[in-house]
Amino acid sequence: MNAETSPLKIRFIERRSEPVKHLPGFQKHHRVPTAASPNDQRFIVSLAEPLLDNDLQDKFSSLRKAFGLKRKEISVDGPFEGTGIVATPFFEYRIVVELDESTPSRVLFTRTIENIGEPARIVAAPFETVFENMFSEMEVVTESTLDLEAIVDAIEDAESAEVSIDYDKDLTWCEIQLINSASTVIVKPNSIVVSSAKETTPQQLLELFVDIQQQFVASLNLGQFAFDARQT
């Protein structure tokens, strides 16, 4: 089965936060939020809208030129209520702005690549021209339930000095840490998140996922996922 028909859903994620005070239009008399209330969220969205609009315009122009897209092949929706989307025939670029619930004095910008229809496009030169090393996280969602017990047992029984694993008492998640690597893998019953301590390319994130899959393919039960980034 190839990547286009795989039941796995993949998205690439970049999250950045900055002080609310740094948003355009924030004045000295404005109040810095102390809680992520609906009113504060609307206020922050209104201040951030020029940034979202500029971001959407930049990605629209860059993607259109990099991939040679025609007007009918690319569209922009937003900004609207803190969200904007640039849709291409191959994937969607999405940006969302919201208050950081854990630190309401900061605003969180989340950029994602999702609804990927042609995976090869995200490891091609045009994509890297537009996004370079933007993303630090890749999320893989699978319809089948992953066997976390088998994953933990396989790693612990291997007693490898190159891999460590952590998990909660109810085994609702496990975190795989590759020694001498800035990358971690968090596995939940229906998702796998590969993250890097620094921004990197989608191809590098995919390669890390493939390495993990190959090492623990039986317990991960992902044999149907045949897209290997190193073959594109």
Side-chain angles (χ1 to χ4, degrees), residues 8-12 113-114 116 138-140 206 225:
L8 300 180
K9 295 181 179 179
I10 300 175
R11 67 174 184 151
F12 295 89
I113 298 295
E114 49 192 77
I116 299 170
M138 182 184 80
E139 180 185 52
V140 180
L206 280 163
F225 186 68

Side-chain angles (χ1 to χ4, degrees), residues 61-73:
S61 298
S62 299
L63 286 168
R64 184 178 62 83
K65 294 174 183 177
F67 285 98
L69 299 174
K70 299 178 181 179
R71 181 192 62 81
K72 294 182 289 185
E73 296 175 316

